[in-house]
Amino acid sequence: MLSLIVFLPLVVAALLAVIPVSAGSRVFTAGWVCATATDVVLVLISWTGYEAGTGLALEQRVRWIPGAGVSYHVGVDGLSLPLLGLTAGLFLACAVYSLRGTHRTKGFVLLFLFLQTVCLGVFTALDLILFFVYFDLSIVGMYFVISGWGYGNSRGSALKFFLYTFLGSLALLLGFIGLYLAVEPHTFDIVDIARSDPLSGGGALGAPVLAAIGLGLLIKTPTFPFHTWMPPAHTDAPAVGSVILAGVLLKMGTYGFVRIAMPLLPGTWSRYAWVFVVLGVVSVLYGALVALAQEDFKRMVAYTSVNHMGYVVLAVGAAGLAAGGQEQARSLAVTGAVTQMVSHGLLTGALFLLAGVLHSRGGSHHMKDYSGLAAFAPVFAGAVAVTAFASLGIPGFSGFIAEFQILTGGLATATVATALALPGILITAALLLRALHRVCLGEPRVPDPPGSARGFTDLRANESLAILPLLGVALLLGVLPRLLLGVIEPAAVELVGVFG
């Protein structure tokens, strides 16, 4: 089942590749929507059949490069299944959003189907080399999305994105090789390495291996000071490219912490968890303050991702701190971290699609160019308002559930650091409400012609079908969090258990 979920988009891409461009863009967009919708159904079937607390499910292991201890090993548990669902849902939203077409539609659709396969592959991989292959291919796919279909200095931004994140993946590979050399018999299998715990005694190899893996994941997340590739990449990427970049690719970094760094290096992680706590707090505050200073709506949303991912890094760091008798608080922090990954993907995905609507109508992301859009487009303004309030963590949405758990777990194990991060919530609330007020309220104004009011088309059917369901899921998870927490919590308890 998992291999079908992962490779279905790639198979559809291969079939669409033989169809000539003259067949028309609707053939390709329709095929894209059908493939992504089918994947969502398959993930829901897998979710329904998954029994929480039973560990890995749907495992499949096939010998791939046996001489090097590499296998095609896949499976899901409570940490990966929510991200698998998030990935399938966001790609479906992107396909629906793009139904009105884009330039060079065939290449665009084939590239996104390829990206969907590698993104789903990351969250199912249980072999370090398989994880690395998918991880690296996602960089290649996103490079072509930004450089081929972006705006402004898209080629420069794509090159910076590629070189920076590729450097991170090379560091990650060095860390994986270090783990391979430490375990006997040598293997890249994540389950076997976790069972052996080869670096439990510390020694000279533990710290450099964690440093290499941590650097690779911190760049991908991205965390201060490794975030500088992200603002230009988001600003110059097409709207759906930003959705996948923020909603899925950033999660590869944070997911790597709970799938690889923490369970494979528990002793070393506990010893150096304070480093990740500090980086998390700095990212929370830095991301919020810099976002507050932005005039570009899309760039502002990009910096809020540094802020929100900072909470995830803070949570996994707090969960690793040696604190006997606080297993419940640490599992709460891990649960909050995974919930935050899902919530951020849904809400930031919606925000980037709304930024795409803004650019498609006015040709600009600058907030000073717009005002009073609620008068022209009440559905658009309502969606911006709901997304803003949900992103700042008010009760009733998934963001509140995530931040509540992170702060509760963090205050128990990393009290001072978590307290220092608290102002980040207030700053984020201020910047999102400021953006809502500037763009949607006040005297109606749009960029063209300058200084005078003209029509601003409200959300079209495909845009509503792409954006509103993301908000609906965030609301559902906020009102009925057990749907998500029931899957994550047992896996979080099991992960925290490796620290003893």
Side-chain angles (χ1 to χ4, degrees):
M1 174 65 99
L2 280 185
S3 296
L4 176 61
I5 291 172
V6 171
F7 290 107
L8 176 65
L10 195 60
V11 171
V12 173
L15 295 174
L16 292 176
V18 301
I19 299 176
V21 175
S22 58
S25 62
R26 287 186 180 278
V27 173
F28 300 102
T29 52
W32 186 15
V33 171
C34 290
T36 51
T38 304
D39 243 10
V40 168
V41 172
L42 292 174
V43 171
L44 289 176
I45 292 172
S46 301
W47 192 306
T48 305
Y50 178 71
E51 190 174 344
T54 57
L56 292 167
L58 302 175
E59 269 190 278
Q60 184 182 6
R61 193 190 314 231
V62 178
R63 289 160 61 88
W64 184 17
I65 314 174
V70 180
S71 62
Y72 174 80
H73 188 187
V74 296
V76 289
D77 62 4
L79 300 177
S80 55
L81 194 55
L83 295 171
L84 205 64
L86 172 69
T87 302
L90 286 180
F91 271 97
L92 175 59
C94 290
V96 172
Y97 182 87
S98 304
L99 273 175
R100 286 177 64 88
T102 182
H103 64 290
R104 292 181 285 141
T105 303
K106 179 178 178 179
F108 191 72
V109 169
L110 297 184
L111 193 51
F112 266 81
L113 287 169
F114 165 78
L115 255 180
Q116 184 171 355
T117 284
V118 299
C119 290
L120 291 168
V122 166
F123 299 123
T124 61
L126 293 176
D127 183 278
L128 292 175
I129 295 302
L130 187 62
F131 180 94
F132 175 78
V133 168
Y134 287 133
F135 193 90
D136 247 18
L137 290 177
S138 72
I139 299 172
V140 176
M142 185 53 66
Y143 167 80
F144 284 111
V145 168
I146 298 172
S147 63
W149 284 268
Y151 317 109
N153 184 28
S154 58
R155 292 186 178 179
S157 298
L159 183 62
K160 185 174 184 180
F161 158 79
F162 183 89
L163 293 177
Y164 217 131
T165 53
F166 190 63
L167 174 66
S169 73
L170 290 179
L172 202 60
L173 180 60
L174 287 176
F176 290 172
I177 292 173
L179 281 170
Y180 171 82
L181 295 175
V183 69
E184 288 290 347
H186 297 324
T187 180
F188 285 101
D189 193 279
I190 291 175
V191 176
D192 291 343
I193 296 174
R195 192 179 295 125
S196 302
D197 191 8
L199 296 172
S200 58
L205 194 56
V209 168
L210 178 61
I213 293 175
L215 177 62
L217 298 177
L218 288 171
I219 290 175
K220 191 77 167 182
T221 295
T223 305
F224 179 88
F226 310 110
H227 66 287
T228 55
W229 61 266
M230 190 190 69
H234 272 303
T235 304
D236 295 332
V240 291
S242 292
V243 172
I244 298 305
L245 182 57
V248 181
L249 265 62
L250 302 193
K251 307 304 177 298
M252 294 178 184
T254 51
Y255 173 73
F257 286 116
V258 297
R259 172 59 67 206
I260 296 171
M262 295 175 73
L264 303 193
L265 294 155
T268 312
W269 180 267
S270 290
R271 197 171 304 120
Y272 296 101
W274 62 270
V275 175
F276 297 93
V277 169
V278 171
L279 289 174
V281 173
V282 173
S283 296
V284 166
L285 297 175
Y286 173 84
L289 288 170
V290 178
L292 183 64
Q294 299 305 309
E295 289 294 322
D296 185 295
F297 184 83
K298 210 176 178 191
R299 204 173 177 88
M300 179 200 74
V301 177
Y303 274 109
T304 61
S305 293
V306 177
N307 165 265
H308 284 111
M309 290 299 95
Y311 285 113
V312 177
V313 176
L314 167 63
V316 295
L321 290 175
Q326 294 184 333
E327 287 78 7
Q328 186 179 1
R330 287 188 286 166
S331 66
L332 196 61
V334 172
T335 304
V338 179
T339 306
Q340 177 74 322
M341 295 182 210
V342 176
S343 176
H344 176 264
L346 293 170
L347 298 174
T348 303
L351 276 173
F352 276 123
L353 290 179
L354 289 166
V357 172
L358 206 62
H359 192 274
S360 69
R361 306 294 196 272
S364 170
H365 289 124
H366 284 279
M367 288 184 279
K368 65 180 176 57
D369 293 336
Y370 301 90
S371 180
L373 294 187
F376 299 126
V379 179
F380 170 83
V384 172
V386 170
T387 312
F389 280 107
S391 296
L392 60 88
I394 64 166
F397 287 92
S398 55
F400 171 76
I401 304 299
E403 291 182 5
F404 171 74
Q405 292 180 108
I406 289 173
L407 295 176
T408 304
L411 282 170
T413 58
T415 308
V416 175
T418 307
L420 290 173
L422 282 174
I425 296 178
L426 187 62
I427 300 170
T428 305
L431 70 92
L432 288 171
L433 292 177
R434 172 174 164 266
L436 171 66
H437 192 274
R438 293 182 66 183
V439 173
C440 295
L441 304 179
E443 191 69 23
R445 187 179 70 247
V446 290
D448 184 23
S452 62
R454 75 176 175 94
F456 184 97
T457 307
D458 209 345
L459 291 185
R460 299 185 176 98
N462 67 305
E463 293 164 346
S464 297
L465 285 172
I467 297 169
L468 299 184
L470 297 180
L471 301 181
V473 175
L475 176 63
L476 180 66
L477 296 179
V479 176
L480 300 172
R482 293 308 305 171
L483 294 173
L484 184 63
L485 302 184
V487 174
I488 298 174
E489 280 178 352
V493 170
E494 185 178 349
L495 175 61
V496 170
V498 305
F499 295 101

